[in-house]
Amino acid sequence: MNATIEFDGKKYELPVITGSEKENAIDISKLRGQSGGLITIDPGFKNTGSCESKITFLNGEEGILRYRGYSIEELAANASFLEVAYLLIFGELPTQNELDNFFDDIKEESHVDEEMKKILDGFPKSAHPMGVVSSLTNALIAFNPSSVNVDSEEDMYKAIIKILAKFPVLCAWALRKRTGQPLDYGDNDLGYVENVLKMMFKKPNKDYEVDPVVASALNKLLILHADHEQNCSTSTVRIVGSSHAGLFASISAGVSALWGPLHGGANQAVIEMLEAIKEDGGDTKKFMAKAKDKNDPFRLMGFGHRVYKNFDPRAKIIKKSADEVLGNLGIQDPVLDIAKGLEKEALEDSYFVDRKLYPNVDFYSGIIYRALGIPTDMFTVMFALGRLPGWIAQWREMRLKKEPIGRPRQVYTGENHRAYTNINNR
Ligand code: CMC
């Protein structure tokens, strides 16, 4: 199948690539060469595919999300986070033996160089944990190989194991620094998710009992966040990695990209918004009006998505889970009612309906994180922990396919050539 572009009296035949779910894309990779300079422009990449990928399928119109062909609903209901990590990275669900070996290898690497503590020490206690985690991930490079030989399966595997093992330690340390707790390591007798909880919350003078309700809720949240094809942070990871910067450098950049409130930072922004509405007396209509007012920069955080134009399947699962988790833990959080009220109003409001704005993954996740005892400014770190396998899988795919360096073009709209003026004559 071909597509034809006609420009300035000339026609250019371009191949069309069809994906396994019948999505078509015009391959413009030869357009500039064929036409002597014609390029396409698409700010925000709203219509541009940056790669072919076998990892995650997302259909925004029908609200479908699948990792390696498995539906997010089935994975969230049945799988462990580590199984999903293996699936995303290596393409198949692991056998029990493969999973055990994978986890044993991770446990072997679940420590970081003690010198890293000095780096953390240099941060003020008030530092945002996302900045700390991004910096510490980058600092890990100094203690580990800065680049990976992608022609060696073994080297690739080792780097992947190291980051899966060490990243949760860094996330826990970011929290412990903030809460004034001594830096510690986890417990290799626990599962991956249980260990994350213990590393975060264990007090120095008290044993930590993992609550199965809390562990199961976190397991589900991490799975729901594990990959989402070419989103802002994943594209960042792929583009940084495309320069052959190492895995850790690429992940560190991904953490920074995720931090923004339009991306992963929305989960923190949602709770802050819900709290602000509560403090203001709970008048959701007032905030709905602000969100619709084009002269007001306020947006309804946790609403809208670049790809989902019907519903976000992750939000559906999380909303149900929020009710269950708060019920099981015996917690009544007034912001859950405010969130439900806002959702109901938005779904009946033509502004939101016309623009196809629905609650996204971040709308209810913060309410669960809060019920699990996780502080607000750690919410996006939890997202990063969940997204880590997705970033790794996408980086691995990109390097194994030997994709070229990511380097977009532009349309220059600045000054034409002009002569330099001496500073005294300006
Ligand atoms: N509240 C009010 N209006 C909105 C919102 C919102 N949350 N989201 C989009 N709009 C309006 C926007 O003003 C625009 O209106 P108009 O056509 O009149 O100019 C229209 O809807 C389309 O919005 P857009 O900004 O062009 O859409 P986008 O695809 O570039 O942005 C988004 C997607 C997620 C950045 C945006 O919906 C948003 O800012 N949402 C709030 C932040 C948020 O919840 N982010 C988390 C996203 S999901 C998880 C993740 O990726 O990390």
Side-chain angles (χ1 to χ4, degrees):
M1 208 179 353
N2 281 340
T4 310
I5 289 188
E6 195 169 342
F7 175 71
D8 211 12
K10 291 201 185 106
K11 286 187 178 173
Y12 305 100
E13 288 280 311
L14 300 168
V16 171
I17 296 175
T18 304
S20 50
E21 292 286 343
K22 309 280 174 282
E23 292 168 308
N24 293 322
I26 304 171
D27 176 356
I28 57 143
S29 55
K30 302 266 182 328
L31 176 64
R32 188 170 183 277
Q34 280 176 16
S35 63
L38 188 61
I39 61 166
T40 57
I41 186 161
D42 183 20
F45 309 116
K46 292 192 176 194
N47 304 279
T48 298
S50 58
C51 59
E52 289 177 46
S53 177
K54 294 188 189 326
I55 302 170
T56 289
F57 173 67
L58 205 167
N59 179 328
E61 279 67 38
E62 292 176 31
I64 295 173
L65 171 61
R66 293 185 204 132
Y67 299 159
R68 302 278 189 184
Y70 296 100
S71 79
I72 192 65
E73 289 80 8
E74 269 194 281
L75 291 171
N78 301 304
S80 74
F81 175 60
L82 215 53
E83 256 182 293
V84 170
Y86 188 100
L87 169 71
L88 284 166
I89 298 168
F90 302 112
E92 295 296 339
L93 283 168
T95 61
Q96 188 62 54
N97 200 25
E98 285 167 336
L99 186 62
D100 290 347
N101 289 340
F102 184 52
F103 192 27
D104 283 347
D105 293 340
I106 289 174
K107 285 191 241 177
E108 275 301 305
E109 287 291 341
S110 60
H111 52 85
V112 295
D113 196 296
E114 285 294 289
E115 299 276 320
M116 288 281 289
K117 291 186 176 172
K118 292 189 193 148
I119 299 172
L120 181 61
D121 205 35
F123 283 94
K125 216 173 170 180
S126 59
H128 194 286
M130 281 297 273
V132 173
V133 169
S134 173
S135 306
L136 290 183
T137 307
N138 226 325
L140 269 184
I141 302 167
F143 304 93
N144 292 278
S146 58
S147 63
V148 182
N149 175 8
V150 296
D151 294 321
S152 156
E153 273 288 335
E154 201 189 332
D155 275 22
M156 284 286 252
Y157 183 75
K158 274 188 190 158
I160 290 167
I161 290 293
K162 279 188 177 168
I163 195 73
L164 279 169
K166 297 177 197 307
F167 192 76
V169 179
L170 305 183
C171 294
W173 280 9
L175 173 65
R176 296 185 80 83
K177 162 97 190 180
R178 198 129 171 83
T179 51
Q181 298 284 333
L183 305 182
D184 209 346
Y185 291 101
D187 180 343
N188 273 353
D189 291 334
L190 293 178
Y192 190 85
V193 173
E194 288 77 2
N195 193 28
V196 165
L197 286 165
K198 186 165 178 181
M199 282 196 289
M200 283 168 61
F201 295 123
K202 187 185 174 317
K203 301 244 167 63
N205 48 0
K206 213 171 150 201
D207 269 353
Y208 179 81
E209 279 287 316
V210 180
D211 182 335
V213 173
V214 172
S216 150
L218 184 57
N219 182 65
K220 192 175 278 189
L221 282 172
L222 295 178
I223 291 174
L224 292 173
H225 286 89
D227 195 48
H228 214 232
E229 51 118 301
Q230 308 311 317
N231 56 84
C232 176
S233 57
T234 302
S235 301
T236 301
V237 167
R238 283 184 89 123
I239 212 159
V240 171
S242 78
S243 75
H244 296 193
L247 173 61
F248 299 178
S250 308
I251 300 291
S252 160
V255 175
S256 297
L258 186 72
W259 191 357
L262 297 190
H263 192 12
N267 56 15
Q268 172 172 348
V270 169
I271 280 286
E272 287 167 353
M273 174 188 79
L274 295 173
E275 278 295 334
I277 297 175
K278 193 180 95 189
E279 292 303 307
D280 196 61
D283 183 0
T284 45
K285 294 211 163 40
K286 179 171 155 190
F287 286 82
M288 288 283 287
K290 274 167 73 63
K292 293 191 283 181
D293 180 356
K294 290 288 166 200
N295 297 316
D296 190 327
F298 177 80
R299 280 190 163 197
L300 201 54
M301 298 313 287
F303 257 76
H305 196 273
R306 170 61 60 78
V307 184
Y308 292 123
K309 300 298 173 195
N310 181 341
F311 66 93
D312 180 338
R314 303 166 300 173
K316 268 194 174 175
I317 301 172
I318 291 184
K319 183 181 178 185
K320 192 162 164 269
S321 181
D323 277 326
E324 284 165 11
V325 173
L326 268 66
N328 286 343
L329 295 174
I331 294 173
Q332 287 225 314
D333 190 338
V335 302
L336 180 59
D337 295 330
I338 294 178
K340 284 182 178 169
L342 264 183
E343 179 185 348
K344 188 167 179 300
E345 276 174 50
L347 295 182
E348 289 164 1
D349 189 300
S350 61
Y351 175 96
F352 290 89
V353 174
D354 293 351
R355 289 171 180 75
K356 300 185 172 21
L357 302 171
Y358 296 88
N360 59 49
V361 68
D362 293 319
F363 194 62
Y364 287 103
S365 63
I367 296 173
I368 307 184
Y369 287 136
R370 189 148 86 161
L372 305 187
I374 296 167
T376 310
D377 58 10
M378 278 294 287
F379 290 0
T380 317
V381 172
M382 303 316 289
F383 190 151
L385 197 58
R387 186 54 54 88
L388 180 65
W391 288 334
I392 296 170
Q394 302 271 352
W395 170 86
R396 180 175 179 270
E397 180 180 73
M398 182 269 307
R399 291 304 313 271
L400 287 179
K401 280 170 71 180
K402 306 218 181 316
E403 280 183 12
I405 186 167
R407 202 298 186 190
R409 294 237 167 212
Q410 62 164 16
V411 176
Y412 176 70
T413 58
E415 297 288 344
N416 294 117
H417 178 255
R418 46 186 175 162
Y420 174 79
T421 334
N422 188 286
I423 196 163
N424 300 321
N425 301 330
R426 285 173 215 160

